[in-house]
Amino acid sequence: MTVTHDLSILSLISQASVLVQLVMALLATLSLVSWYWIFRKSFQIRQARTETERFERDFWSGGDLNTLYESASRSQAEGMERIFESGYREFTKLRAKGHDHTATLDGARRAMRATHQREIDDLEAHLAFLASVGSVSPYIGLLGTVWGIMNSFRGLSSVGTATLAQVAPGIAEALVATAIGLFAAIPAVVAYNRFAHDIDRLGIRFESFMEEFSNILQRNLR
Amino acid sequence: MSASAAAARSGARHEQRALPGKWAALGLTVAVHLALALFLFFGVRWQSPPPAALEVGLAGAPAPAAAPAARPKPTPEPRPAPKPEPKPQPKSEPKPAPAPKPEPPKPQPKPEPKPEIATKAPEKKPEPPKPQPKPTPKPEPKPQPKPEPKPPPKPAPKPAPKPAPKPEPKPAAKPLDDYMAQRLAQETLRADEARLASLMAQEGARVAAQGTTGRGAPGGDIDKYRAAIAAKVRGNLLRPPGLSGNPEAVFEVIQLPSGEVLEVRLKRSSGVAALDDAIERAIRRSSPLPLPDNRSQFQRTLELKFRPLAED
């Protein structure tokens, strides 16, 4: 009763039952996609942060608002520069039409708020995907494992004397599903938490900039 | 409205800007997964070596024993070992002249059998059928040598030395009978032992083919010692499932003089982690290990080689 089992990772995967293989394939694609978004989001957030820092430096160095606006409308930068651009454009338009001060300021603030929300939304896009991968993929892996173990025990019931050798390979195959699920989930959760934190901080910077810029605009009206 | 237009424009710009990051992210993603896959393939040692049933081959335990392992059985006869050396001298034909007749007769038969053992042993052991032929050939050669050598010495001494001779004749006659009896007994013993030895040689390691039977006694003890350890450890070994082939594991065991196992160290893995663990557990469960009959052969560190051969 020498049971020969080649327990290499390949044979573990190829010998698993169909449902377990499906689960593993699903988890592998989830892992690929989530890693793709992890990298893209980290690039995007880093870029937004450096551009925001650069713009804050320029803005508080005391340059003329009109020249700042010119360069901002030409630049491709995102983040704070967009907020400034939309707010200042709305401000100049409203002032040219001769609205009163409060209406002009309110209009500028609304425009800035809208851009702020759009920017934050842009940064937060696909974070929900990371969150769901992080929370769901362990369960998917667990499903594959439970199914695989069920199968190996069902096979055991037809054998009179059960040995570990008859159950172990099935369980090992099944556990691969959990391993893949965890491999997909852990980076996703870590990345989600980090990105959410970074975006929160950027959002706070945007909001305080909006308040400060509103004050400057108000001073300009008088 | 102009704000919304601007927003639409800026949104379009964002989409375009995201592109460069896309390819970098794709490449990095593939790299991460490739790295993980490579790690799983090469970094992790999955159980791939083949397995089998259980036979503990304990070899190369203490230093001197390595080769004699297969040979030990012929030596178990304690008497032959001491006698061979003193007797060869009497053989060399000075016997007829000297008076010590009672003693010389006995030595003659014994020395002869021993050389036979030495020469025959190596041939017989490997092949089981040989033990049978032995009993038949021996009876024939013996009668021949005995009549020839004995008659000449006896007549010669009797006439010449009168003082001592009287007691001699009686012992001389008896020795002859004793002789035959002894020889017969020895023959049967030897045959049995040869058969045993051949069996053991088959079963035991075929490793050491060239056993020097010279220092038989120590080899035998060591072999018994080793066999005892092997038997005990084997009895405690729970073979892990799914073994195939014939992996070999080498363990270093440090024991107390009482035989208790102090430390078990894996020197060379069998390649199957489960088997290594099982063997280590078996060694620990075998504590205290059996002790050698001869205390001088005790060693604090033993090197145990396990080779579970396919039995079923």
Side-chain angles (χ1 to χ4, degrees):
Chain A
M1 88 114 260
T2 39
V3 195
T4 314
H5 288 294
D6 178 20
L7 285 189
S8 83
I9 183 76
L10 263 191
S11 65
L12 277 186
I13 292 174
S14 62
Q15 287 168 9
S17 67
V18 176
L19 187 119
V20 178
Q21 279 177 337
L22 279 181
V23 164
M24 288 196 259
L26 173 66
L27 287 173
T29 48
L30 277 185
S31 168
L32 275 168
V33 177
S34 77
W35 272 95
Y36 171 73
W37 282 115
I38 287 170
F39 283 119
R40 276 196 72 179
K41 285 278 120 183
S42 79
F43 294 154
Q44 189 187 2
I45 290 173
R46 198 189 314 151
Q47 191 184 359
R49 200 164 46 215
T50 55
E51 281 171 357
T52 299
E53 274 160 11
R54 180 183 53 76
F55 176 77
E56 269 186 326
R57 239 190 354 259
D58 290 352
F59 184 82
W60 294 111
S61 63
D64 179 35
L65 284 184
N66 280 319
T67 55
L68 262 183
Y69 173 73
E70 287 298 314
S71 71
S73 59
R74 268 196 320 265
S75 97
Q76 301 272 305
E78 49 187 318
M80 202 178 276
E81 207 162 5
R82 289 274 81 72
I83 296 173
F84 165 78
E85 183 201 353
S86 64
Y88 195 69
R89 182 172 49 229
E90 194 65 20
F91 174 76
T92 49
K93 277 178 188 165
L94 288 178
R95 196 166 57 169
K97 288 184 179 173
H99 288 279
D100 65 356
H101 288 179
T102 49
T104 311
L105 265 185
D106 280 352
R109 284 185 70 104
R110 271 196 300 272
M112 285 195 290
R113 182 150 299 279
T115 312
H116 166 262
Q117 275 166 2
R118 202 171 294 117
E119 288 294 319
I120 293 295
D121 176 65
D122 205 32
L123 286 174
E124 277 180 346
H126 302 287
L127 273 198
F129 173 76
L130 288 184
S132 4
V133 167
S135 54
V136 165
S137 64
Y139 294 121
I140 302 179
L142 204 58
L143 171 70
T145 296
V146 168
W147 188 264
I149 292 180
M150 266 167 56
N151 271 348
S152 63
F153 274 112
R154 220 180 40 200
L156 201 62
S157 65
S158 58
V159 186
T161 54
T163 65
L164 205 54
Q166 288 156 334
V167 209
I171 294 179
E173 282 160 21
L175 285 175
V176 172
T178 302
I180 298 180
L182 289 178
F183 174 74
I186 293 171
V189 170
V190 170
Y192 174 78
N193 286 334
R194 203 181 131 233
F195 293 160
H197 172 73
D198 286 352
I199 292 172
D200 272 356
R201 289 187 58 198
L202 267 182
I204 290 171
R205 272 167 97 168
F206 291 170
E207 274 177 23
S208 38
F209 170 77
M210 278 159 54
E211 302 301 324
E212 287 162 342
F213 188 49
S214 303
N215 282 340
I216 292 174
L217 290 179
Q218 196 168 22
R219 258 181 271 137
N220 275 4
L221 281 177
R222 303 223 167 98
Chain B
M1 284 182 66
S2 63
S4 70
R9 211 174 56 220
S10 75
R13 258 183 305 191
H14 289 192
E15 301 288 328
Q16 284 170 355
R17 236 183 296 131
L19 270 175
K22 198 191 231 170
W23 295 112
L26 260 182
L28 283 169
T29 304
V30 173
V32 164
H33 286 83
L34 268 186
L36 178 83
L38 288 180
F39 170 75
L40 286 182
F41 276 120
F42 300 111
V44 180
R45 199 166 184 191
W46 300 84
Q47 166 188 337
S48 40
L54 247 238
E55 219 237 8
V56 178
L58 247 173
R71 267 323 94 88
K73 278 96 202 187
T75 53
E77 309 162 4
R79 290 168 194 167
K83 286 169 189 173
E85 293 163 4
K87 283 151 196 174
Q89 297 169 350
K91 270 189 201 172
S92 56
E93 296 166 17
K95 290 164 194 170
K101 289 151 197 172
E103 296 164 0
K106 288 170 190 171
Q108 286 173 349
K110 285 166 189 171
E112 291 165 359
K114 281 155 203 164
E116 290 169 6
I117 297 176
T119 53
K120 288 170 187 172
E123 297 166 0
K124 288 164 191 170
K125 282 154 200 167
E127 298 160 22
K130 283 173 185 173
Q132 297 167 350
K134 282 179 200 169
T136 50
K138 281 165 191 171
E140 295 164 5
K142 287 162 201 167
Q144 295 169 354
K146 284 166 194 169
E148 293 170 2
K150 284 160 192 171
K154 285 163 193 170
K158 283 168 191 171
K162 287 167 188 174
K166 286 163 191 172
E168 294 160 9
K170 293 164 190 171
K174 289 169 187 173
L176 267 176
D177 295 350
D178 291 357
Y179 231 46
M180 299 299 283
Q182 275 189 358
R183 273 195 141 192
L184 270 173
Q186 280 186 349
E187 289 300 327
T188 52
L189 244 179
R190 228 172 287 139
D192 285 352
E193 274 165 347
R195 212 180 309 131
L196 253 177
S198 67
L199 281 177
M200 297 292 285
Q202 279 183 327
E203 172 190 326
R206 316 128 185 182
V207 195
Q210 27 57 300
T212 50
T213 31
R215 48 219 83 106
D221 283 358
I222 281 230
D223 201 62
K224 254 190 273 170
Y225 178 34
R226 193 185 303 121
I229 294 180
K232 184 154 189 187
V233 174
R234 196 183 309 148
N236 283 327
L237 182 60
L238 293 174
R239 195 163 13 108
L243 287 182
S244 71
N246 188 12
E248 186 182 84
V250 179
F251 280 85
E252 191 178 82
V253 178
I254 298 179
Q255 59 172 344
L256 294 174
S258 61
E260 269 162 270
V261 174
L262 206 59
E263 201 180 328
V264 180
R265 234 175 318 181
L266 179 62
K267 285 191 79 177
R268 188 145 50 80
S269 168
S270 62
V272 187
L275 177 61
D276 294 344
D277 290 348
I279 295 175
E280 183 178 337
R281 254 178 276 126
I283 294 174
R284 291 195 186 281
R285 216 176 297 149
S286 306
S287 171
L289 294 170
L291 294 172
D293 295 340
N294 184 349
R295 291 294 292 174
S296 71
Q297 271 145 16
F298 178 84
Q299 296 186 344
R300 272 186 75 87
T301 59
L302 295 173
E303 199 167 281
L304 307 183
K305 212 178 282 174
F306 289 87
R307 188 182 300 156
L309 297 169
E311 279 174 349
D312 5 285

